Amino acid sequence: MPPVGSITVPATATAEQEQAPPTHKASRSFGKAWDDIREGFSQRELWGHLGWQDIKQRYRRSVIGPLWITLSMAVTAAGLGLLYSTLFNADIRTFLPYITVGFIVWNFMLGCLTEGTDTFIANSGLIKHLPAPITVYALRTVWRLTLMFAHNLLVYFVIVAIFWVDLSRPGYVMTPNGSGQPGIDATILLAIPAFVLLAINGGWVAILFGIISTRYRDIPPVIVSLSQLMFFMTPIVWTTDDLTRLTPNGGEPPAWRILVAELNPLYHYVQLLRAPLIGNTQSWHHWAVVGALTVVGWSLALLAMRNYRSRVSYWV
């Protein structure tokens, strides 16, 4: 029997206290956030293995396995390439490669955004039982999407082989009233650092939106809903030359038209990788814009890691 004046604390209250997220300031420091990111990158075997397992599990017992990724991309690119080349009166020999590469890059970017929002929620079991940096799960997502990107590149190589004569010819034009392009040459090697930069951006997107979505579960469906609008607002199936065509009455097009593309950050990401792959003129302002967004994005991701990294395991 408890002594007079004593207070008995219910067992439920003690359990709630044990499950409450840590609130001490020691867990909220940029040093710990940076250590999490650094250790996450160092555990390449872990997130690399998990990414491979995702691909194997998704196409388990399938006849052609991951080649479904390639086949789906080929059918989509061919169908929409034929449709939009007719609508825009464009040469299919140069317009189809343009759309194909646009779709390949877009799928990678969209995957980083949509799957990135679900990266911690989908790995809730591992986060609760595996003592690993949470950066590992973001890198797992980016690595899985990189493998899918590599499968889709098979479609690109086939398209380039079919239309090599036209794509390698200096001065080719994709659309009426469009400017001549230099053609595929040694600048195609710029696609390597361009993709590396895209993958680096995919890392901060998965971390930042993953943390936000873990706390606010309405974010993933909102991103999915906006993805269709973002697709049509980005030059994937249309070109910036279409914005600068003459108006129907023969006058000059309004100067603000080109801003529809230039103010869209996704356009710079797409063009950064698409231009060297199809022999288009590479504008260095795309590198400047993407580089600036990379710095800003990782700064925000580091800030989110500092404030909420320790809470992720309680939110999932």
Side-chain angles (χ1 to χ4, degrees):
M1 183 175 181
V4 178
S6 63
I7 300 176
T8 303
V9 179
T12 55
T14 304
E16 291 177 356
Q17 291 176 357
E18 292 178 353
Q19 295 178 2
T23 57
H24 52 84
K25 294 183 179 180
S27 63
R28 298 179 58 181
S29 68
F30 285 109
K32 289 184 177 294
W34 175 253
D35 289 340
D36 189 291
I37 295 175
R38 179 178 53 80
E39 292 175 10
F41 275 94
S42 66
Q43 297 187 18
R44 292 183 295 273
E45 293 185 2
L46 177 58
W47 51 261
H49 174 74
L50 292 174
W52 273 109
Q53 286 300 116
D54 289 340
I55 297 295
K56 292 181 179 180
Q57 192 69 22
R58 180 175 299 185
Y59 297 98
R60 184 181 179 185
R61 297 183 180 179
S62 173
V63 177
I64 62 176
L67 288 180
W68 276 115
I69 303 173
T70 306
L71 183 60
S72 176
M73 174 58 62
V75 172
T76 302
L80 292 182
L82 292 171
L83 172 63
Y84 282 98
S85 63
T86 303
L87 293 177
F88 296 137
N89 192 27
D91 189 347
I92 187 64
R93 296 171 297 179
T94 53
F95 194 71
L96 182 56
Y98 175 87
I99 282 188
T100 301
V101 178
F103 266 113
I104 294 174
V105 179
W106 174 258
N107 275 4
F108 177 80
M109 293 167 45
L110 185 63
C112 290
L113 187 57
T114 56
E115 296 187 30
T117 58
D118 197 48
T119 188
F120 298 129
I121 300 173
N123 290 284
S124 60
L126 290 176
I127 291 176
K128 292 178 180 179
H129 298 94
L130 182 65
I134 65 171
T135 307
V136 165
Y137 308 107
L139 296 177
R140 172 187 187 176
T141 300
V142 176
W143 175 241
R144 178 176 67 249
L145 293 169
T146 300
L147 296 176
M148 298 174 67
F149 177 85
H151 282 87
N152 287 332
L153 278 182
L154 296 176
V155 181
Y156 163 75
F157 290 127
V158 172
I159 294 294
V160 169
I162 295 174
F163 301 111
W164 172 257
V165 174
D166 299 282
L167 293 175
S168 61
R169 174 171 51 86
Y172 80 84
V173 178
M174 288 189 302
T175 59
N177 302 324
S179 57
Q181 303 296 337
I184 295 179
D185 52 20
T187 58
I188 193 175
L189 296 177
L190 289 174
I192 298 175
F195 179 76
V196 172
L197 190 55
L198 255 66
I200 292 174
N201 277 268
W204 73 256
V205 167
I207 291 175
L208 180 60
F209 285 92
I211 292 177
I212 296 174
S213 300
T214 303
R215 179 64 180 87
Y216 304 101
R217 299 300 176 95
D218 292 324
I219 298 298
V222 169
I223 295 296
V224 172
S225 300
L226 291 177
S227 62
Q228 290 290 339
L229 175 63
M230 293 187 293
F231 173 79
F232 287 108
M233 291 294 293
T234 306
I236 306 296
V237 297
W238 52 274
T239 71
T240 54
D241 292 332
D242 297 322
L243 296 175
T244 56
R245 289 187 185 183
L246 295 177
T247 56
N249 58 10
E252 290 293 328
W256 59 264
R257 283 188 180 182
I258 194 64
L259 295 178
V260 174
E262 292 294 338
L263 295 180
N264 182 357
L266 298 178
Y267 162 63
H268 300 283
Y269 282 102
V270 172
Q271 196 62 14
L272 188 73
L273 183 54
R274 177 170 57 188
L277 286 177
I278 63 174
N280 277 13
T281 302
Q282 178 64 283
S283 177
W284 291 102
H285 84 284
H286 297 307
W287 290 87
V289 172
V290 173
L293 291 174
T294 303
V295 174
V296 173
W298 272 106
S299 299
L300 293 175
L302 189 63
L303 181 62
M305 290 279 285
R306 172 193 178 274
N307 292 331
Y308 307 112
R309 177 183 58 86
S310 59
R311 297 174 178 264
V312 169
S313 59
Y314 297 92
W315 288 341
V316 293

